[in-house]
Amino acid sequence: MNQTFNISQSKPHYEILDGLRGVAAIMVVFFHAFETFSNGDHTKQIINHGYLAVDFFFMLSGYVISYAYDNRWNQMTLKDFFVRRLVRLQPMIIIGSLVGAVLFYFQHSEGLGWGGISTTPVWKLLLVMFIGMTVIPVGKSLDIRGWNEMHPLNGPSWSLFFEYIANIVYALILRKTSKIVLGVLVLISAGFTIHYAFTNPNGDMIGGWSIDDATQLRIGFTRLAFPFLMGILLARLAKLKFTKNAFFTTSFILIILFAFPRLGGTEAHWQNAFYECFTLIVMFPIVILLGAGGKVVGEKANQLCKFLGDISYPIYITHFPLVYVYMAWIVNGKHTLEEPQSWIFGLLTVAVSIVLAYCFMKFYDIPVRKWLNKKLISKK
C-alpha cells in the first residue's frame, strides 16, 4: 500500500476524483439552497465555504486535462482538442440555459431585487436564453434578473465561461510550458490569490460572475489562475501514493472544508482569508493527490463514485434555476430557517436537483455526446 509511481508512467482512471467532483457539486447545491437565510451576511452562511467548490473544480480540471492531453499532441490538432472540449461541456450548458428560461417567471421577488422578472418580455427572455447557450456573457442591458450576472438565467455558468478560457490558454500556451515556468506561474498566481483574500473587505474568495464590473472580472481570473495552474503542475510533478479508504477519507475532508464555520466574525476578516488560502493552496492539492492515488474497493463503492461523477457536471449546471425559485419562495413568504417547511422545501430542492441531473445525464447528455463523438471525433 506504500508503493509509489510516477504519473507519466502509469495512467489509472481516477474513479475517486470523479466521486469527489460529485461530492463537491452536491455541497454547492446545499450552499446555494440555504444561502438566502444569511441575508447577505457572510458570517451566517450555512455550508459557509461552499463557494470554494468552484476553485476545487478548476484545480480538478487542470489536473485531469493535463493528465489526459499532455502526451497526445503529436496525434491531435488544436481543432481536435477544442471539439472534444465542446462535446464534453456544451450540451449541458444548453440544458442549463433552457431550464433557467423555463423557470424564470416563477422567480419574481421584490425582496431579492428581481422585481422586473414579471415584466420581462418573452422575446428578451429567449434572447438571453440563446446567448446563454453559447456561454457568451451578457451585460447590464440584458440583465433580466437584476443581480448583474453574466448569465442571468443560470448563474453558475460564469465558471464555465472561465473554464473555456482556461482550456484555450492550456491548448495555446500551457501545454508547451516547462515545469519550471509553470511553477513560477503557480507561485505568482498564489500571490494574487493571497492578496485578493486579504484585501477583500469580506475576507473571502466570493465573486467573479459579472463582466460589467472590472473588479468582478479580476476576481474571476484570480480564482481561475491558481487552481487551474496548480492542477496542471500536480499532474506533471506529483508522485501518487496509494491510500487506503481514499474516497471516504477525501470526501470527509472535502465536506469539512466546505462546511467549516466562518472564522473571525465581522471584525477579524484576516482569519477567514487565512483559512480560505490554506484550503486552496494546501488542502485542495492534498485532497486531489490522495484521491488520484487511491483505489476504489468493492462494487458498491465503485458504483457510488461512478454515480457521483456522472451527475457532478449536470447537477452543477442545472441546479441554480431551481434554487432561484426556492430563494424567491423564502423571501416572498418571509420564511425563516426555524420553520420546518423551510428545511423541507430546501431539502426537496436539493433532491429534485439530483433527480433532474440524473435524468438529464442519462437521457440527454450521454446520448448527445455519444452521437457527437461518433460524428465529430470517432472518425478521426
Side-chain angles (χ1 to χ4, degrees):
M1 295 301 292
N2 292 324
Q3 178 185 2
T4 61
F5 59 91
N6 190 293
I7 194 170
S8 64
Q9 298 171 338
S10 180
K11 289 194 171 185
H13 178 69
Y14 296 131
E15 296 96 342
I16 293 177
L17 295 188
D18 290 343
L20 291 178
R21 189 183 296 109
V23 170
I26 292 174
M27 291 296 287
V28 169
V29 182
F30 275 106
F31 167 74
H32 282 149
F34 293 104
E35 186 179 15
T36 309
F37 297 103
S38 68
N39 293 317
D41 185 346
H42 294 196
T43 65
K44 296 179 180 178
Q45 290 181 145
I46 301 175
I47 316 295
N48 202 286
H49 305 279
Y51 47 83
L52 291 180
V54 172
D55 308 78
F56 182 71
F57 292 146
F58 285 149
M59 193 174 295
L60 269 179
S61 178
Y63 188 93
V64 173
I65 285 176
S66 180
Y67 160 80
Y69 293 106
D70 272 0
N71 64 350
R72 297 170 65 180
W73 287 97
N74 59 339
Q75 305 170 349
M76 181 178 62
T77 66
L78 284 173
K79 180 181 177 181
D80 294 334
F81 174 78
F82 291 132
V83 167
R84 288 175 183 273
R85 299 310 296 159
L86 283 169
V87 169
R88 178 66 185 94
L89 299 175
Q90 203 61 33
M92 283 309 305
I93 290 173
I94 292 172
I95 283 293
S97 188
L98 180 61
V99 173
V102 169
L103 297 178
F104 181 70
Y105 289 117
F106 297 95
Q107 300 162 359
H108 178 89
S109 175
E110 298 284 350
L112 286 166
W114 303 345
I117 285 180
S118 60
T119 59
T120 299
V122 173
W123 70 264
K124 198 169 188 178
L125 170 66
L126 293 176
L127 176 61
V128 174
M129 181 190 74
F130 285 119
I131 294 175
M133 289 178 176
T134 69
V135 181
I136 295 174
V138 300
K140 289 183 178 179
S141 62
L142 291 177
D143 180 20
I144 57 178
R145 178 171 305 281
W147 269 9
N148 201 27
E149 297 166 290
M150 66 171 71
H151 295 290
L153 296 179
N154 191 22
S157 290
W158 74 268
S159 63
L160 273 299
F161 167 72
F162 284 102
E163 175 71 20
Y164 271 129
I165 292 175
N167 280 240
I168 292 169
V169 174
Y170 164 78
L172 297 179
I173 301 172
L174 295 176
R175 67 181 175 90
K176 298 178 283 189
T177 303
S178 70
K179 295 174 184 177
I180 294 176
V181 172
L182 187 62
V184 172
L185 292 175
V186 166
L187 291 175
I188 293 172
S189 61
F192 280 107
T193 296
I194 294 169
H195 176 267
Y196 169 63
F198 280 89
T199 58
N200 178 10
N202 292 318
D204 53 42
M205 297 298 296
I206 295 178
W209 49 74
S210 174
I211 63 168
D212 286 316
D213 186 341
T215 300
Q216 284 291 315
L217 275 177
R218 179 175 63 85
I219 295 170
F221 282 109
T222 299
R223 294 185 67 182
L224 169 68
F226 171 77
F228 190 77
L229 291 167
M230 186 63 176
I232 296 174
L233 187 63
L234 288 174
R236 293 182 183 175
L237 291 181
K239 290 186 176 181
L240 303 181
K241 188 173 184 178
F242 288 116
T243 306
K244 189 176 181 180
N245 299 320
F247 174 64
F248 296 103
T249 300
T250 51
S251 294
F252 179 75
I253 293 173
L254 209 54
I255 291 170
I256 294 299
L257 290 174
F258 292 143
F260 200 81
R262 187 181 179 91
L263 299 177
T266 58
E267 300 296 330
H269 290 309
W270 69 267
Q271 295 181 21
N272 195 71
F274 177 84
Y275 173 81
E276 297 201 354
C277 288
F278 178 76
T279 297
L280 270 169
I281 297 172
V282 178
M283 293 307 301
F284 282 172
I286 290 175
V287 168
I288 288 176
L289 292 179
L290 289 175
K295 292 290 184 182
V296 179
V297 179
E299 184 61 26
K300 289 186 178 179
N302 187 68
Q303 290 177 353
L304 177 60
C305 284
K306 185 178 185 307
F307 172 77
L308 290 171
D310 286 344
I311 69 166
S312 60
Y313 180 43
I315 194 174
Y316 176 74
I317 203 63
T318 62
H319 78 279
F320 213 43
L322 289 167
V323 172
Y324 284 137
V325 176
Y326 177 67
M327 286 180 171
W329 176 77
I330 289 292
V331 173
N332 294 344
K334 298 181 179 179
H335 298 290
T336 65
L337 195 58
E338 288 72 28
E339 299 175 27
Q341 58 189 6
S342 297
W343 283 93
I344 292 172
F345 285 108
L347 295 174
L348 184 62
T349 299
V350 175
V352 172
S353 296
I354 294 173
V355 171
L356 280 180
Y358 178 80
C359 292
F360 287 137
M361 176 270 296
K362 186 174 180 62
F363 300 110
Y364 167 77
D365 190 42
I366 290 179
V368 168
R369 286 196 287 121
K370 184 177 180 180
W371 182 81
L372 289 173
N373 273 315
K374 184 178 180 180
K375 293 291 184 181
L376 302 177
I377 297 176
S378 297
K379 291 181 180 181
K380 295 181 180 298

